[in-house]
Amino acid sequence: MIEAHSLTKRYGNTVAVDNLSFTVQPGRVTGFLGPNGAGKSTTMRLILGLDRPTGGTVLINGRHYASLHQPLRNVGALLETKAFHPGRRAVHHLRWIAASNGIPSRRVQEVLETVGLTAVASKRAGGYSLGMSQRLQLAAALLGDPQILLLDEPVNGLDPEGIQWMRQFMQNWAQRGGTVFVSSHLLSEMAVTADHLVIIGRGRLIADVPTKEFVSRSAGGFVRVRSPQADKIEQLLTEKGADFSREPDGALAVRGVEAARVGELVAEHGLVLHELSPQQASLEEAFLAITRSAQEFHTGGPAAGVGPPPEYGPPPEYGPPPGYGAPPPGYGPPPGYGPPPGYGPPPGYGPPPGYGSPPGGPPSGGPPLGSPPPGYGPPPQTPPYGQG
Amino acid sequence: MLRTLRSEQIKLTTLRSTWWSVALTVGASLGSALLIATVVSEDESGPNTVENISILFLVAAQLALIALMAMAVIVSTSEYRFGQIRMTLAATPHRWLVLLAKAVVTMAVAFVVGSVTAWSCILLAKPLLPSGLRLDLSDPGAMRIMWGLPLFFAVAALLALSLGAVLRNSPASITILALMSLGVEKTLLAIPKTRDFAQYLPFNAGARITQPHDAGAELTPWGGFGVFCVYAVVLFLVAVILAETRDA
């Protein structure tokens, strides 16, 4: 079990992790979600005691990481893509790690077998592909036969087969009573891997919910209705008390009513339809919406004019529902808040220039966040924060 | 502690760069000693054993040392260059313990390399020396200089490892060490005005143990070595304090 209490980490003026509290329970896969630069890796490093928190604590089975006797027997961590010396043979890499925690060297062969690297164990790790590197890192995490696994973006760079393998591995681990804390910026991946989600944006907790609940709450579909008599249909829907909104192209997005029912209603009144199509909002859209709303708080701009224009925005229930641990009202960082130049990730990190500008001025660099083509979610790709 | 030592020993001995550095150190020392032995003439050499040994050790104690210090620097810096430090500290969260284990292992390797260098230089060069040149290891001071070289190597390795841990950057650390030991300190020692002060600089002081006793100098060979040890230990403590306070 991992417990974080009011965990905070500042680098100069930049708050990487902000008053973060959550618990990771054994017996299930807990997904740690957030866009790049949200503070996931920093949180992972804080858990392992690699970085010192500015405030708050994080405990593993009730103890600080540094006070664990032979920590690798309690916690296995896959931190970065390549945290090994490229000139060293894989088997030697595992051997020094094993020696540091008094783990018998036969375990080295066992974990190599588990991750399927036995045949290439005597190759220098620098020659490994990304997928092999991830497997080597996982082997290192498994050496001490720990109860807790911390995995930072473990499927990064894996091929579909590798992703599936990693997913099954994590789920099996949790089924046997282990604790798995796995970070990712891809909701679609976490939706099929994790049982529980801890979602952060800009270092703050946005949601701490079971995956099922998040998916069912967020991914509600709607019916897209296009008609030359849209105004009349709108009137009709208002009379019926339906929940709907206007799409940018003038179409109506109707929620909570089946397409068939909308069609019947329209037919009853002899109106013309050009389109009547059920739409499934993507999980990515929900994820972007929920993290975006957290970021708006943090950019400190005026409420109006920040982010997407209203009609581009997600429908009301896509936002963080009350009680999801959304940032408390009234929180407002000082003006000009933002990562100072030169902080950590390469240029391009942080709100891109023009982000948060009034409607009509899409941010330069990267896909405009708030303007997906009508009826489609934003492409499930990395948001334009740069790599972080 | 023993587990951490074992772990650091595996790390050091499973890197190719370690063996290159060791081969370079021993090879350059031995080669130059043999070369000196064949070209030195009886009247060029000093009147006693210590002086003759110190001539054979000249390249070892000045130039080959750089390769050994590079190895020691890399012990620290390679951790940061490849992100391996995160794995190291996840395995051993006590940072002082990691640095101490690195220091012990690296100094042990440097001491062994120094011993091999010293004894192979003398044993192999002796037959090549002119017959009139005195080289008798039972002479007073001979053992001091024979063990002085490995001791000098060991403490230089501690200094280099500590500098690498402070700067976390191989090129910068190695350049500083090479410039100090070969350039700046020697130059200041050659200038009469700065001579008195320059003898207390790290490598000038440390190298005294590989040189004959100089009645005119303020520092004795052991005194100079002591000064060198102080530099190394202080820098090591700085490295430990920084490691404990900085983020990995």
Side-chain angles (χ1 to χ4, degrees), chain A residues 19-31:
Chain A
N19 200 22
L20 193 59
S21 299
F22 60 86
T23 306
V24 182
Q25 301 281 359
R28 67 190 191 194
V29 176
T30 302

Side-chain angles (χ1 to χ4, degrees), chain B:
Chain B
M1 179 74 195
L2 282 176
R3 286 190 298 264
T4 312
L5 276 176
R6 171 88 182 115
S7 167
E8 289 300 331
Q9 177 254 307
I10 295 172
K11 270 190 209 170
L12 186 61
T13 53
T14 54
L15 274 193
R16 279 174 299 182
S17 65
T18 303
W19 300 110
W20 290 342
S21 305
V22 168
L24 195 59
T25 307
V26 178
S29 305
L30 197 57
S32 61
L34 296 180
L35 193 68
I36 291 167
T38 54
V39 299
V40 77
S41 69
E42 280 176 47
D43 30 294
E44 275 176 88
S45 68
N48 63 54
T49 300
V50 173
E51 224 155 278
N52 294 331
I53 295 177
S54 78
I55 290 167
L56 294 176
F57 283 178
L58 204 62
V59 171
Q62 313 278 347
L63 205 62
L65 181 66
I66 308 279
L68 197 73
M69 288 197 295
M71 177 204 83
V73 163
I74 288 168
V75 166
S76 294
T77 54
S78 67
E79 294 269 359
Y80 293 96
R81 180 157 171 223
F82 301 110
Q84 185 181 271
I85 188 69
R86 308 230 154 110
M87 193 67 234
T88 299
L89 294 182
T92 313
H94 302 291
R95 300 170 183 200
W96 62 268
L97 185 59
V98 171
L99 271 175
L100 187 62
K102 281 187 187 300
V104 170
V105 169
T106 312
M107 288 175 81
V109 169
F111 186 84
V112 170
V113 170
S115 308
V116 170
T117 303
W119 289 94
S120 59
C121 280
I122 296 310
L123 295 177
L124 295 175
K126 198 176 177 182
L128 301 174
L129 287 170
S131 54
L133 211 140
R134 185 173 174 82
L135 194 83
D136 186 345
L137 291 177
S138 60
D139 280 1
M143 281 299 125
R144 184 263 295 169
I145 197 167
M146 287 305 287
W147 292 115
L149 188 75
L151 285 175
F152 183 44
F153 274 20
V155 178
L158 178 65
L159 191 78
L161 173 139
S162 307
L163 188 67
V166 170
L167 299 181
R168 298 181 173 184
N169 179 305
S170 318
S173 308
I174 295 171
T175 307
I176 287 174
L177 290 168
L179 272 181
M180 279 299 280
S181 64
L182 286 175
V184 178
E185 293 193 14
K186 295 286 173 291
T187 311
L188 291 174
L189 198 63
I191 300 170
K193 261 193 177 172
T194 54
R195 190 186 168 86
D196 285 348
F197 146 79
Q199 64 174 324
Y200 288 96
L201 291 172
F203 292 97
N204 286 344
R208 293 285 295 115
I209 199 161
T210 68
Q211 293 158 3
H213 186 73
D214 177 0
E218 274 176 50
L219 274 175
T220 62
W222 283 109
F225 182 68
V227 170
F228 188 53
C229 289
V230 170
Y231 280 112
V233 169
V234 167
L235 193 61
F236 178 71
L237 292 178
V238 170
V240 169
I241 290 165
L242 285 178
E244 291 284 348
T245 50
R246 285 197 286 200
D247 288 332

Side-chain angles (χ1 to χ4, degrees), chain A residues 208-342:
Chain A
D208 185 351
V209 284
T211 310
K212 267 188 194 149
E213 193 183 320
F214 179 79
V215 169
S216 64
R217 276 210 220 176
S218 310
F222 61 95
V223 180
R224 188 173 141 82
V225 182
R226 208 154 52 80
S227 162
Q229 296 158 304
D231 291 341
K232 287 187 180 158
I233 297 179
E234 198 176 308
Q235 216 176 345
L236 218 60
L237 289 167
T238 314
E239 281 166 20
K240 297 279 173 190
D243 176 12
F244 68 91
S245 60
R246 277 284 182 136
E247 298 274 279
D249 64 350
L252 294 163
V254 187
R255 273 167 291 276
V257 186
E258 277 179 39
R261 184 72 197 93
V262 176
E264 285 162 12
L265 189 72
V266 170
E268 277 168 27
H269 292 80
L271 298 171
V272 176
L273 274 182
H274 284 178
E275 183 186 344
L276 178 66
S277 57
Q279 304 281 334
Q280 193 66 39
S282 76
L283 283 173
E284 265 72 23
E285 189 175 59
F287 175 51
L288 281 176
I290 205 173
T291 52
R292 185 168 51 222
S293 65
Q295 282 159 6
E296 281 165 22
F297 261 102
H298 285 254
T299 48
V306 171
E311 70 268 27
Y312 278 51
E317 68 263 36
Y318 284 14
Y324 262 43
Y331 171 81
Y337 165 85

Side-chain angles (χ1 to χ4, degrees), chain A residues 2 4 7 16-18 20-24 28-47 58 79 149-154 170 180-187 189-191 193-209 211 287 291:
Chain A
I2 305 169
L7 206 55
V17 174
D18 192 359
L20 193 59
S21 299
F22 60 86
T23 306
V24 182
R28 67 190 191 194
V29 176
T30 302
F32 191 30
L33 266 176
N36 286 337
K40 300 187 299 292
S41 293
T42 304
T43 305
M44 291 284 197
R45 289 202 301 270
L46 290 170
I47 294 173
V58 56
L79 268 189
L149 279 184
L150 285 186
L151 309 170
D152 196 358
E153 302 267 3
M170 292 188 279
V180 182
F181 192 45
V182 52
S183 80
S184 177
H185 60 273
L186 299 174
L187 177 64
E189 175 56 30
M190 284 301 100
T193 308
D195 306 303
H196 195 88
L197 294 175
V198 172
I199 305 177
I200 65 168
R202 287 266 158 165
R204 294 198 135 228
L205 186 70
I206 296 174
D208 185 351
V209 284
T211 310
F287 175 51
T291 52

